[in-house]
Amino acid sequence: MEWWLIYLLLGAGIGFLAGLLGIGGGLVIVPVLAYIFTAQNFPSDRILHLALGTTMATIIFTSLASLRMHHAHGAVNWWIVRYLAPGIILGTLAGSTFAGRLSTEVLGMIFVIFIYYAATQMWLNITPTSRHALPGKFGMVVAGSLIGALSSLVAIGGGLLTVPFLSMCNVKLQYAIGTSAAVGFPIAVAGTIGYIINGLLQMQPLPDYSLGYVYLPALGWIAGASMLTAPLGARATHRMQTATLRKIFVVLLYFLGTKMLFNLF
């Protein structure tokens, strides 16, 4: 039962940060779940796979809540979603399948590199310049495939990739963010399906209450708590110094990435 309490607290913290700073929690949930699963004596060579699969499943719920909010404000370009979605689904399924065949060390290195990239992007507040128009239908499928594949490898909703891509294609930031929230839902669904299937195909036993690489107790408590605290974080945005908190969050990402790097070696 004490582990369930830890999952509950993790979900509450991630939900509050998501509402406060407008960021997804995947980059934090994955390393924290890896530490928790290690303490629970889960199979060492499957811990990161379970952390990624479980995190991807939590994004289904958080992305759906974000999607509804942005759609209500008319900030979702459904034409873009329509043409990105096929590539997103194909890329995400391929990425999660590929992840299931990688060793923990290789998968961990990919995650660490990405977490450093994300932290640096947030720290320097790097924003791409508008240079191109949106590509044609084939180009949108290719772009969606790349976004989906990388998102499934590091268990994110795709915002760190979709927003810069759309901004470079002259999509206004408001619509880039709203459309990215909509794109995050098929990424999460396809990624979760991929991690479940690949986990079920593994010959070695996984922990009780696992559905493939999705550990259901962690999913339930994290998703439930995060959906409750996200509105609280959104309300607190107007009362707190979010710029300072964002820097603290970046430092946390660097710390988690470095700790995971040391653990790998």
Side-chain angles (χ1 to χ4, degrees):
M1 181 63 71
E2 62 270 18
W3 296 116
W4 294 15
L5 178 60
I6 293 174
Y7 296 138
L8 182 67
L9 293 174
L10 174 61
I14 290 299
F16 186 80
L17 281 175
L20 184 69
L21 302 177
I23 48 89
L27 294 178
V28 174
I29 297 176
V30 170
V32 173
L33 278 183
Y35 305 145
I36 296 173
F37 290 166
T38 299
Q40 290 184 265
N41 296 315
F42 286 0
S44 59
D45 61 340
R46 297 291 102 180
I47 282 176
L48 194 52
H49 300 79
L50 284 162
L52 289 166
T54 304
T55 299
M56 187 62 78
T58 66
I59 295 174
I60 292 177
F61 300 94
T62 55
S63 65
L64 185 59
S66 179
L67 163 61
R68 292 177 61 186
M69 179 187 70
H70 286 290
H71 176 68
H73 287 85
V76 178
N77 185 320
W78 288 106
W79 183 91
I80 294 176
V81 176
R82 175 186 174 187
Y83 286 105
L84 277 179
I88 287 288
I89 294 171
L90 291 174
T92 304
L93 289 172
S96 56
T97 300
F98 181 59
R101 285 155 176 72
L102 294 176
S103 67
T104 295
E105 291 76 17
V106 173
L107 200 54
M109 280 302 304
I110 293 173
F111 186 85
V112 168
I113 291 170
F114 191 83
I115 203 172
Y116 282 152
Y117 157 77
T120 303
Q121 184 187 52
M122 292 179 66
W123 183 269
L124 299 178
N125 195 25
I126 299 172
T127 54
T129 56
S130 301
R131 296 179 180 177
H132 311 284
L134 284 167
K137 295 178 182 179
F138 178 75
M140 294 289 278
V141 172
V142 172
S145 298
L146 294 174
I147 291 170
L150 185 53
S151 297
S152 63
L153 278 173
V154 293
I156 60 171
L160 288 169
L161 302 171
T162 308
V163 172
F165 165 69
L166 294 179
S167 296
M168 286 190 297
C169 295
N170 289 300
V171 177
K172 290 184 178 179
L173 184 60
Q174 175 190 2
Y175 292 99
I177 294 173
T179 304
S180 172
V183 168
F185 183 69
I187 288 176
V189 172
T192 300
I193 292 172
Y195 277 105
I196 288 174
I197 293 174
N198 281 280
L200 292 173
L201 293 176
Q202 291 297 312
M203 300 302 294
Q204 67 184 92
L206 293 171
D208 293 338
Y209 309 111
S210 294
L211 180 60
Y213 285 135
V214 176
Y215 186 57
L216 298 177
L219 167 62
W221 287 107
I222 292 173
S226 64
M227 293 180 72
L228 289 175
T229 56
L232 300 178
R235 295 191 192 102
T237 299
H238 305 290
R239 305 187 187 97
M240 303 178 71
Q241 296 292 326
T242 55
T244 301
L245 290 170
R246 183 178 289 270
K247 291 179 180 179
I248 294 173
F249 179 72
V250 168
V251 172
L252 175 62
L253 288 181
Y254 279 125
F255 169 76
L256 291 172
T258 303
K259 184 167 176 50
M260 177 172 280
L261 184 63
F262 279 119
N263 288 345
L264 287 174
F265 295 100

